[in-house]
Amino acid sequence: MKFNTKTIHGGQKHDPAYGAVMPPIYQTSTYAQTTPGGHKGFEYSRTHNPTRKALEDSFASIENGTFGLAFGSGLAAIDAVIKLLKPGDEVISTNDLYGGTYRLFTKIFEDFGIKFHFIGMENADKVAQYITKNTRLIWVETPTNPMMNIVDIKAIAEVSKKNNLLLAVDNTFATPYLQRPLDLGADIVMHSATKYLGGHSDVVMGALVVKDEKIAERLYFIQNASGAICGPQDSFLVLRGIKTLHIRMQRHCENGRAIATYLKNHPKIEKVYWPGFEDHPNHQIAKEQMDDYGGMISFVTKGSDFESAIKIVENLKIFTLAESLGGVESLAGHPASMTHASIPKEEREKTGVVDALIRLSVGIEDIDDLIEDLEQAIG
Ligand SMILES: Cc1ncc(COP(=O)(O)O)c(C=O)c1O
């Protein structure tokens, strides 16, 4: 089955009761048993729920994995991955990553004795330099949020395999429409399904997909034991969202390309971060591991600072000033005061997240309206 077909049919069965084409929202916490243990595969909805199961099977299918797991948020999914580790274990992570992931690693898991090394991963050899006898996991975000750096998943997977480590990739920005980390050698794919997979800015959810049965077993155990699951209604909404992922992504990519090009040619713009440009430092890797370049773009206007960047995002009328990304509507954000405010200023500026940086999640509206909006806001 090819990707566009998988988004609609992958892992899906018509409901056995009445043949419903969409899985019903099984809004139940528990399931009748004929005798203790005599049930139809579902006992309690923290452990399993048929609507969530349909979604988890869809996750596995679109990421070319075997096992999918849905969580109450992207961070809950990341939390489950780090719970595969023990005190004393070490993680090597990209240094330019979503602020909430950085906060979870440094403000929660460091207190439990897990050590994190945050490094630039543009060169896989550099990753190897940080491996110690305690390293267990490499955490990659690519494209990175918000600097749009690209990490070579295949090269990092080679280092990871050689050293018997786990490699997890946050595939939120690219989605499996553009990039399939398991095919490139990763062990775990993670999503904030809140973003492109859900696609309509109406759900908060996380996803994990793996191929290996042992890793899956442990993650299912953690999912049930820690309990950070999502409900059936949200599962239904994300499953519905995935059915149009391919056509939404196609338009996100088209609009993203048009806006990146418009900004690059704008006399008031200093720098545009978008991996589709040939002069992007990791363009070659992006070209090899992604099928297109997506709708996430960051930029800095000439001579701008904190206040002038705020003014631009406040002036936008069709782009909504908001946290999050990946919905059908265009959003603009100011990472320094919003998504990345939890990263200390010195740390975020080292990776380019300066006060003047603006991040766009380009939606699927009419491109002329989006460009006109940017034109009036930038001035
Ligand atoms: C790349 C990335 N990973 C993880 C997360 C966390 O996901 P959630 O907000 O669903 O917990 C986000 C949220 O913005 C994100 O952008």
Side-chain angles (χ1 to χ4, degrees):
M1 210 187 273
K2 291 194 171 168
F3 185 79
N4 296 350
T5 314
K6 280 186 176 181
T7 62
I8 296 165
H9 298 289
Q12 303 308 298
K13 295 182 196 87
H14 297 157
D15 184 62
Y18 298 106
V21 169
M22 275 303 281
I25 301 167
Y26 282 96
Q27 195 73 50
T28 186
S29 59
T30 192
Y31 306 82
Q33 305 191 13
T34 48
T35 181
H39 53 75
K40 297 179 176 168
F42 295 89
E43 288 174 87
Y44 185 60
S45 280
R46 175 165 26 77
T47 320
H48 297 115
N49 173 282
T51 320
R52 194 177 90 216
K53 173 81 170 73
L55 173 68
E56 292 179 330
D57 290 346
S58 169
F59 285 154
S61 170
I62 59 174
E63 281 288 4
N64 294 343
T66 314
F67 305 97
L69 299 97
F71 293 84
S73 69
L75 282 175
I78 302 172
D79 178 89
V81 174
I82 305 303
K83 284 176 178 161
L84 293 169
L85 310 180
K86 294 197 165 50
D89 286 350
E90 295 184 18
V91 179
I92 304 171
S93 165
T94 27
N95 59 356
D96 166 27
L97 78 171
Y98 170 58
T101 309
Y102 179 86
R103 181 179 55 198
L104 177 66
F105 289 174
T106 56
K107 297 285 195 307
I108 305 281
F109 282 110
E110 275 185 0
D111 287 350
F112 287 83
I114 293 169
K115 189 170 172 186
F116 294 86
H117 303 271
F118 296 97
I119 65 165
M121 288 198 184
E122 51 291 331
N123 178 347
D125 291 341
K126 191 166 162 202
V127 175
Q129 290 166 24
Y130 285 83
I131 295 174
T132 72
K133 63 178 186 355
N134 296 324
T135 309
R136 297 285 173 268
L137 172 72
I138 302 177
W139 184 270
V140 167
E141 203 180 285
T142 183
T144 62
N145 179 2
M147 297 312 297
M148 307 305 297
N149 290 315
I150 303 294
V151 178
D152 185 341
I153 299 172
K154 213 171 183 177
I156 304 279
E158 272 167 29
V159 174
S160 174
K161 285 205 170 29
K162 208 156 91 193
N163 293 279
N164 214 11
L165 309 176
L166 284 175
L167 171 61
V169 176
D170 182 336
N171 203 26
T172 300
F173 269 35
T175 82
Y177 177 80
L178 298 177
Q179 162 180 290
R180 290 151 302 276
L182 295 178
D183 291 354
L184 298 169
D187 301 290
I188 302 171
V189 178
M190 175 265 152
H191 279 273
S192 169
T194 315
K195 312 295 168 10
Y196 289 104
L197 298 190
H200 296 76
S201 305
D202 50 10
V203 179
V204 173
M205 190 188 283
L208 298 177
V209 179
V210 301
K211 276 184 172 167
D212 182 89
E213 193 169 354
K214 275 217 167 79
I215 302 172
E217 249 174 43
R218 185 67 191 161
L219 287 171
Y220 283 126
F221 179 83
I222 293 167
Q223 183 193 39
N224 181 48
S226 289
I229 47 120
C230 55
Q233 180 108 23
D234 286 353
S235 300
F236 177 89
L237 284 172
V238 173
L239 190 58
R240 184 168 72 165
I242 289 173
K243 288 176 191 286
T244 55
L245 177 66
H246 52 300
I247 48 172
R248 286 186 285 108
M249 286 308 292
Q250 191 180 346
R251 181 63 72 86
H252 283 298
C253 290
E254 280 168 26
N255 283 357
R257 179 183 299 277
I259 287 186
T261 309
Y262 159 78
L263 290 170
K264 196 169 190 179
N265 294 325
H266 196 295
K268 289 195 178 163
I269 303 295
E270 167 108 20
K271 182 102 184 109
V272 184
Y273 300 90
W274 183 68
F277 290 136
E278 278 182 17
D279 62 357
H280 181 287
N282 321 118
H283 175 70
Q284 207 44 43
I285 300 163
K287 201 170 162 184
E288 281 162 30
Q289 76 183 14
M290 298 173 75
D291 295 328
D292 205 336
Y293 305 103
M296 294 303 299
I297 301 166
S298 296
F299 70 97
V300 175
T301 47
K302 281 183 186 152
S304 67
D305 54 12
F306 193 92
E307 281 73 27
S308 49
I310 298 275
K311 212 170 195 170
I312 292 173
V313 292
E314 284 178 351
N315 281 345
L316 287 162
K317 293 189 166 58
I318 293 179
F319 280 85
T320 303
L321 173 60
E323 302 269 352
S324 203
L325 61 107
V328 289
E329 63 288 293
S330 292
L331 301 180
H334 179 244
S337 63
M338 296 168 73
T339 46
H340 291 66
S342 54
I343 303 181
K345 186 173 159 80
E346 330 73 74
E347 283 303 311
R348 69 171 161 76
E349 289 199 336
K350 269 191 224 161
T351 60
V353 188
V354 294
D355 287 348
L357 191 81
I358 292 172
R359 190 191 75 181
L360 300 179
S361 168
V362 179
I364 62 171
E365 301 94 334
D366 195 304
I367 187 63
D368 295 343
D369 291 330
L370 297 180
I371 289 182
E372 203 178 300
D373 193 24
L374 287 167
E375 186 74 19
Q376 64 78 25
I378 296 167

